[in-house]
Amino acid sequence: MEYIGATGVPVRFDALPIEEGIDFHFILGFAIDADPLGKPQNGTFSPYWASTLTPKSVATRAIKAKHPNVKVMAGLSGCSIGKKALNWYIPADTQHWISNAYSSLRSMVETYHLDGIDIDNKRFGRHNDSFAYCIGELLSLFKNQSIIFFASIALFYSIVIPYIKLYKDSGDVIDYVNHQLYTHRVRTPGGYFEAFKLRTAQFDKSKVLP
Ligand SMILES: *[C@@H]1O[C@H](CO)[C@@H](O)[C@H](O)[C@H]1NC(C)=O
Ligand SMILES: *[C@@H]1O[C@H](CO)[C@@H](O)[C@H](O)[C@H]1NC(C)=O
Ligand SMILES: *[C@@H]1O[C@H](CO)[C@@H](O)[C@H](O)[C@H]1NC(C)=O
């Protein structure tokens, strides 16, 4: 899995070497529930990845046609928009948030020919329970209706708690756990191995991608 399009550089899919026979997921960075100034939109997501990553460049005649092993997903949220940090917030009305997220992301999935969604929220406050509920419902709706075929979650050591809750409640609709070991500042191979063992005990080991 490789994130693409988040830094503002006008990148293209074919900038990356794709090896045939190995599943390769591009994750577009990012679809964000905020306006360009970072103001939350009650669950209405907009695409903020580099404009060079057009719907056409994803579609049948482009990257996915060239490489049948390529899938394209949208990453949700990320860390910040411009200089504004993106926090999980308590939706004023959870059903309204879920329904806005469902309709805005469904149309993005159709426009960009997406195969999946990666959950990439990075900042949480104390009231983080609504995260597991809202995201779990959203992924279940998409998976149940075969609107997406892959769902992953992306986490690191200091935000593992809300992701464990999400996984406990909705792990059956989550295919991969992107564990971002590079944030650990571990200095030795043994240290990485310990961190890996801990995460594979908390999440299914067959789903953890270090
Ligand atoms: C979000 O919902 C709240 C409560 O319904 C409303 O007051 C607010 O204006 C909405 N915000 C946006 C950006 O639509
Ligand atoms: C989630 O909330 C609980 C209590 O409300 C808090 O103890 C925990 O640290 C929070 N998790 C994160 C990652 O902020
Ligand atoms: C998805 O389908 C499963 C199994 O049929 C069901 O238990 C679950 O409630 C459904 N979830 C949603 C959000 O529709």
Side-chain angles (χ1 to χ4, degrees):
M1 291 188 154
E2 188 65 44
Y3 290 88
I4 188 167
T7 61
V9 173
V11 66
R12 294 182 192 280
F13 291 113
D14 53 18
L16 273 112
I18 309 286
E19 184 144 348
E20 301 307 327
I22 298 177
D23 290 343
F24 194 104
H25 294 69
F26 280 108
I27 303 176
L28 297 167
F30 286 94
I32 304 175
D33 164 23
D35 70 8
L37 298 173
K39 185 169 181 280
Q41 299 297 304
N42 291 332
T44 301
F45 284 79
S46 306
Y48 284 97
W49 48 80
S51 57
T52 42
L53 303 171
T54 59
K56 259 195 176 152
S57 68
V58 178
T60 33
R61 257 199 290 259
I63 191 72
K64 290 213 274 186
K66 259 195 255 168
H67 303 283
N69 54 326
V70 163
K71 304 279 181 257
V72 183
M73 305 169 72
L76 302 197
S77 186
C79 206
S80 57
I81 183 164
K83 290 205 164 73
K84 182 98 196 301
L86 293 165
N87 283 292
W88 176 260
Y89 62 93
I90 307 171
D93 173 339
T94 46
Q95 291 316 317
H96 188 221
W97 189 95
I98 292 164
S99 119
N100 285 343
Y102 177 83
S103 50
S104 57
L105 291 167
R106 182 180 179 151
S107 98
M108 218 181 290
V109 165
E110 285 163 1
T111 304
Y112 284 88
H113 315 276
L114 303 178
D115 306 286
I117 285 177
D118 177 59
I119 303 300
D120 212 301
N121 291 78
K122 290 292 190 263
R123 300 172 195 267
F124 296 90
R126 274 195 318 117
H127 303 285
N128 52 48
D129 273 1
S130 54
F131 169 73
Y133 176 71
C134 292
I135 297 294
E137 285 294 297
L138 184 64
L139 293 181
S140 302
L141 284 169
F142 278 134
K143 277 292 203 71
N144 274 12
Q145 299 174 15
S146 300
I147 293 165
I148 61 167
F149 302 96
F150 300 95
S152 56
I153 56 178
L155 53 120
F156 53 83
Y157 71 104
S158 62
I159 55 163
V160 82
I161 292 168
Y163 280 98
I164 287 176
K165 172 134 180 60
L166 170 62
Y167 196 81
K168 209 168 142 245
D169 297 348
S170 306
D172 53 334
V173 295
I174 295 169
D175 303 284
Y176 304 108
V177 177
N178 288 329
H179 184 49
Q180 302 180 328
L181 280 163
Y182 62 87
T183 63
H184 275 239
R185 300 183 202 284
V186 168
R187 293 186 188 284
T188 62
Y192 276 112
F193 188 52
E194 286 309 310
F196 181 71
K197 278 201 292 198
L198 173 62
R199 292 317 163 212
T200 52
Q202 289 166 325
F203 301 92
D204 275 336
K205 62 174 174 251
S206 61
K207 295 184 180 180
V208 173
L209 305 177

